Amino acid sequence: MATDAPPSTATETPASGQAEQQPPLLSAVDPSASSSITTSPPPLAPIRTERHPSSSSTASSFDSTCVTSPLTPGGAPGAPFRSPGAAGFGATGGGAAGVGGSGATSHDLSEELLAAGWRKFWSKRENRPYYFNKLTNQSLWEPPTAALPGVKRTLSDPAAAVPNHHHHHHQQGPSAPKRPSFGGPQALDAAWNFSVHSNCVTLERPPRRLFQPHPETELLRAQLIAKLRQHYSELCVSRENIQPPPDSFNRWLIERYLSDKGSDPLFPSDCDNELSYALFREIINDLPVRLCRPKLSADAKKQLYRYAEASKAMIESRVANPESRKIVKWNVEQTYQFLRQAKMPTYEDCLERLAHLKRTCQPHIEEAAKESVEKICTKLYHLSVEYAKKVRELQETLFKVTNPTDPWADLPPWSGDPKRRVRCYPVQICSPAPRPAAQQQLVETGCTDRMQFVRYGRDNSSQQGICRSVFAKLQQLYTLHCTEEDPSMEKFFPRLWCMLTRYQAFLGQQSQNTQAALPIPVFEAISRLFGVTFELFASPLNCYFKQYCSAFPDTDCYFGSRGPVLDFYPLEGSFEANPPFSEELMVAMVNHMENLLKEATGPLSFMVFLPDWRDPPTEALVRLEASPYNRRQTCVLPFEHSYRNGMQHCLERDEDLYVKSAHGTLIVFLQNDAGFMKWTPTSEKIKDLLIAFGQQSSHRRPQPQ
Ligand code: SAH
């Protein structure tokens, strides 16, 4: 509805001639993004063609000019900010090697071809030039004749000519053209839709003072976080004789980020309270042994016995007050008697007994184990602080090479307008340039039929593999957001490697539960029915829209991230939120949404998806249901719907792509009045939505307004 659009947006958005006054927007190539604001010219920065010489290409872009003369939005030196990573690390071994720098070769092509996405590159393997279209991923040996993208791939396709066998990268030297033949059929059955433009309006934001990602620091982070996980696991075993509760380390990270003011993006190092109650609760809940829902009565009986034994052993071996000891032992004795009875107890009897035993013993077990479990939590935190310091030291060493004095000193002040309303744009980084990655350690790549590999240096353990379809998606995201700042995409592979390594470090070996995504038909439906254009919880690997929030602004901004959700303040727009299962983050999310709805200047709508946990109900769920902004809610039943696998980006088999949900999913619409008017959750639409989820049952009526 045009009337819902903020009247001011149009006038506050400069037209293309005013590039110099724009913030250095990264997502500049988004010409139709303004379509939903009827009267406005494109609110995003126009496509800029000027380039600062140092941003154009190859390793020479690391000279110190990058530091002392940051890029203006239009590319002239001396203006307030450099766009993210304008002076990144060297990466000539990755990506396609430009002919003396893409800036030079690009100009061999007509303006028409350049505008259509064509660039010229040099194939060292074939010792001849080739042409690559950044918009369509098409590559040709001969100069393109038609400017129109989307022309069918031809037999002269140089990427297709590269043999495509396993471990192909081992045979390639760092100089061979490694651009794989992406853009094939995988790219078409896409799990994303980047043609959906943002309807999110925010205030202009200054660039963030973050270190640009660098392979050497990322490698160290990955090694140290593996060590930290290992320490945590050993602490659980040595102190409590249990394995760490599944995913508890990841939930600990997510919970810590909520209050962390430290400088490291991965290691919490400056939190309000060094003891994480979230982690404390998780560990305590698994003491003296972890219980899981038994399948048969024999399992239930076994668990009951194990729990009784372990409770007794624990209360006897710890410092506990005599009263606690007496209660636990008495209950354990009762349990033994129950188990000894001649008649085989039924499944329900066993479950009931187990629940009773846990209820009566747990407070005493907790009291006895409290000090020891607190030590696990604080030790973990202290190690994390120590590791953050180690990474910081390396970072400073790398930055001192190019910035011998204070690396942040020469950054000019922001000249933007914090009151200006703009279409949301990715996080921008203002930071000094790091030392380029050492020449002999360049990122190398290779591919198989299904996977694309990226690695750093010669060490195979640094290799990251992703599905080629996801690789094509990341290419597309990068092209959309970094075309001007990195026209030849020479920094693509190192940045990709850093991002993948960050997520691998964050997720560990098998963590999927913090990354499970909605099915594609559901994304299609919410976009069509409720105008959703934005995911509030995502990563470059699982996003469906090209605009989204994610946990790591420094590695993800090149792929379109608007930064962490709690640092993001939309004034209007329609959003989807499928948060990771961290109770603290979910509660913080509800608080944040309610504040935003209070401050909104136009239609604002949040569709929240969260587990329908009611035994007992989680705080976030209670808060959402009782929210004055709750317009409607509905529920999808357990085992009647699926989520996309949290590891969707690196799955070896398509069969594993969807995972049945063992819990119900509650969907709540939080909307202000204008949001409700514009994106009303009518019964008809809800029906369509549930069909998209693959079922139609279980409507829950809205809460009273
Ligand atoms: N985008 C998909 C998948 C969501 S899974 C969907 O909407 O269905 C939850 C995602 O939230 C994960 O990728 C996780 O890394 C990310 N996340 C974690 N903390 C976050 C934060 N503070 N801000 C934004 N995203 C975050």
Side-chain angles (χ1 to χ4, degrees):
M1 263 191 306
T3 48
D4 285 330
S8 52
T9 313
T11 49
E12 284 155 5
T13 308
S16 45
Q18 298 167 304
E20 262 75 22
Q21 283 132 44
Q22 282 275 354
L25 299 186
L26 265 177
S27 54
V29 191
D30 201 350
S32 52
S34 66
S35 55
S36 65
I37 296 186
T38 47
T39 51
S40 59
L44 295 169
I47 299 173
R48 298 188 290 264
T49 45
E50 314 97 293
R51 248 172 252 126
H52 186 278
S54 64
S55 78
S56 63
S57 185
T58 67
S60 65
S61 62
F62 305 114
D63 65 25
S64 57
T65 21
C66 297
V67 184
T68 51
S69 309
L71 290 178
T72 59
F81 299 101
R82 150 202 351 278
S83 44
F89 40 81
T92 47
V99 186
S102 68
T105 50
S106 292
H107 292 297
D108 292 349
L109 300 170
S110 70
E111 281 304 312
E112 188 199 9
L113 289 169
L114 285 172
W118 287 105
R119 299 290 184 271
K120 188 175 174 183
F121 295 97
W122 185 254
S123 162
K124 285 196 182 160
R125 188 175 58 94
E126 298 290 323
N127 206 20
R128 60 189 276 204
Y130 72 97
Y131 301 85
F132 177 73
N133 190 308
K134 297 185 310 172
L135 304 177
T136 61
N137 290 333
Q138 189 187 1
S139 37
L140 300 170
W141 287 122
E142 289 80 29
T145 46
L148 285 175
V151 182
K152 279 242 170 325
R153 292 162 71 85
T154 69
L155 280 177
S156 82
D157 180 340
V162 175
N164 205 8
H165 35 75
H166 287 249
H167 306 301
H168 160 67
H169 54 285
H170 290 310
Q171 288 107 47
Q172 283 193 334
S175 57
K178 298 182 185 80
R179 196 175 286 283
S181 53
F182 38 66
Q186 304 106 314
L188 297 177
D189 56 350
W192 61 92
N193 184 351
F194 298 155
S195 67
V196 179
H197 299 300
S198 169
N199 58 16
C200 164
V201 175
T202 60
L203 293 177
E204 198 175 328
R205 296 195 291 179
R208 305 253 326 248
R209 288 169 72 110
L210 299 170
F211 280 107
Q212 297 170 31
H214 190 287
E216 284 174 43
T217 42
E218 225 40 66
L219 195 59
L220 181 64
R221 269 197 194 100
Q223 287 160 352
L224 291 178
I225 201 116
K227 217 165 136 185
L228 189 61
R229 269 180 212 280
Q230 181 66 26
H231 269 301
Y232 170 54
S233 184
E234 284 165 11
L235 281 168
C236 287
V237 173
S238 64
R239 287 197 157 269
E240 301 303 334
N241 197 24
I242 56 165
Q243 287 302 316
D247 277 342
S248 57
F249 182 85
N250 288 35
R251 275 191 292 271
W252 174 74
L253 287 176
I254 291 175
E255 180 266 343
R256 295 278 82 188
Y257 295 153
L258 291 176
S259 74
D260 185 35
K261 291 180 283 299
S263 63
D264 197 87
L266 195 61
F267 292 107
S269 58
D270 185 5
C271 296
D272 293 343
N273 187 345
E274 59 183 38
L275 176 68
S276 159
Y277 287 104
L279 186 63
F280 176 82
R281 258 195 344 258
E282 284 210 44
I283 300 174
I284 284 284
N285 196 45
D286 272 12
L287 294 181
V289 282
R290 180 180 175 75
L291 297 177
C292 41
R293 204 171 175 77
K295 286 198 182 78
L296 307 163
S297 57
D299 300 335
K301 214 172 149 182
K302 215 172 0 188
Q303 280 209 42
L304 190 51
Y305 184 74
R306 270 184 52 223
Y307 189 91
E309 283 278 278
S311 299
K312 188 162 164 244
M314 185 164 209
I315 209 79
E316 279 174 349
S317 63
R318 305 282 168 111
V319 183
N321 74 45
E323 190 59 18
S324 288
R325 251 179 222 185
K326 220 163 87 186
I327 296 174
V328 171
K329 281 185 169 175
W330 189 82
N331 276 288
V332 167
E333 216 30 67
Q334 294 288 305
T335 306
Y336 288 156
Q337 275 182 26
F338 168 84
L339 289 168
R340 275 199 296 266
Q341 65 189 343
K343 209 171 103 227
M344 172 81 172
T346 65
Y347 176 75
E348 283 72 25
D349 284 349
C350 285
L351 279 194
E352 205 177 293
R353 204 21 101 145
L354 194 54
H356 172 77
L357 185 63
K358 181 150 180 147
R359 212 171 30 245
T360 46
C361 292
Q362 193 68 31
H364 306 286
I365 299 281
E366 181 169 333
E367 199 47 44
K370 188 165 175 267
E371 214 181 296
S372 166
V373 174
E374 280 178 2
K375 282 203 178 120
I376 300 182
C377 301
T378 47
K379 176 83 187 163
L380 182 60
Y381 178 72
H382 291 155
L383 283 169
S384 176
V385 174
E386 193 185 301
Y387 292 170
K389 223 178 272 162
K390 283 194 178 162
V391 177
R392 178 79 187 201
E393 277 161 19
L394 173 63
Q395 221 156 24
E396 304 213 315
T397 314
L398 292 173
F399 279 76
K400 276 218 174 86
V401 177
T402 40
N403 312 271
T405 53
D406 176 6
W408 305 94
D410 292 335
L411 298 173
W414 184 49
S415 64
D417 176 1
K419 292 207 182 79
R420 191 158 67 137
R421 294 151 54 87
V422 290
R423 186 82 59 189
C424 70
Y425 54 90
V427 166
Q428 296 153 4
I429 300 178
C430 88
S431 71
R435 192 191 80 202
Q439 282 298 318
Q440 71 275 24
Q441 295 217 314
L442 294 172
V443 173
E444 298 186 355
T445 66
C447 57
T448 65
D449 285 347
R450 186 177 175 91
M451 304 294 281
Q452 172 72 39
F453 297 102
V454 193
R455 70 175 180 165
Y456 178 59
R458 316 228 171 274
D459 181 5
N460 261 337
S461 66
S462 81
Q463 180 160 292
Q464 303 289 348
I466 44 167
C467 299
R468 288 176 62 193
S469 55
V470 180
F471 180 75
K473 167 200 186 182
L474 293 168
Q475 262 250 328
Q476 230 175 310
L477 277 175
Y478 189 84
T479 308
L480 278 166
H481 297 293
C482 293
T483 293
E484 293 160 60
E485 182 258 331
D486 182 19
S488 60
M489 295 187 71
E490 72 188 40
K491 295 174 200 145
F492 172 70
F493 279 108
R495 286 172 173 170
L496 174 72
W497 185 85
C498 286
M499 187 269 288
L500 292 174
T501 304
R502 175 72 57 81
Y503 275 94
Q504 202 205 34
F506 175 56
L507 298 180
Q509 290 309 310
Q510 10 69 346
S511 169
Q512 316 179 352
N513 291 336
T514 59
Q515 305 291 313
L518 296 181
I520 303 310
V522 175
F523 276 118
E524 279 162 7
I526 61 177
S527 168
R528 176 169 44 86
L529 301 167
F530 306 106
V532 173
T533 67
F534 194 112
E535 287 148 281
L536 287 175
F537 293 91
S539 74
L541 304 169
N542 64 32
C543 65
Y544 176 81
F545 301 111
K546 65 182 184 290
Q547 45 277 328
Y548 58 89
C549 283
S550 75
F552 304 116
D554 62 330
T555 47
D556 300 353
C557 65
Y558 308 104
F559 303 94
S561 169
R562 270 67 170 163
V565 62
L566 301 176
D567 297 342
F568 185 64
Y569 297 89
L571 296 167
E572 57 189 83
S574 179
F575 301 84
E576 172 264 356
N578 172 23
F581 300 161
S582 152
E583 289 201 38
E584 291 69 20
L585 178 57
M586 288 188 204
V587 173
M589 169 199 78
V590 180
N591 288 336
H592 189 58
M593 286 175 174
E594 290 194 337
N595 287 335
L596 293 171
L597 285 158
K598 225 179 284 163
E599 304 288 323
T601 58
L604 187 61
S605 170
F606 299 109
M607 275 187 84
V608 185
F609 296 74
L610 85 179
D612 193 32
W613 283 325
R614 295 188 179 271
D615 191 21
T618 55
E619 188 185 339
L621 195 141
V622 173
R623 290 280 314 282
L624 275 175
E625 293 200 318
S627 172
Y629 298 100
N630 179 353
R631 305 288 171 162
R632 186 168 193 134
Q633 63 186 58
T634 187
C635 186
V636 198
L637 296 177
F639 300 107
E640 293 194 10
H641 66 298
S642 302
Y643 279 83
R644 274 176 86 82
N645 191 315
M647 292 298 188
Q648 58 171 298
H649 58 282
C650 56
L651 286 180
E652 295 283 354
R653 297 154 16 115
D654 282 341
E655 293 79 357
D656 301 328
L657 198 52
Y658 280 95
V659 182
K660 271 247 176 308
S661 175
H663 58 75
T665 293
L666 184 72
I667 307 165
V668 181
F669 290 83
L670 294 189
Q671 299 173 320
N672 64 356
D673 289 343
F676 179 61
M677 291 284 290
K678 188 163 182 172
W679 299 297
T680 317
T682 61
S683 301
E684 271 306 292
K685 290 187 193 170
I686 297 284
K687 213 162 111 192
D688 269 10
L689 172 64
L690 293 177
I691 290 171
F693 251 122
Q695 65 137 57
Q696 299 175 46
S697 55
S698 177
H699 262 248
R700 237 178 244 160
R701 292 304 305 162
Q703 297 299 296
Q705 308 277 306

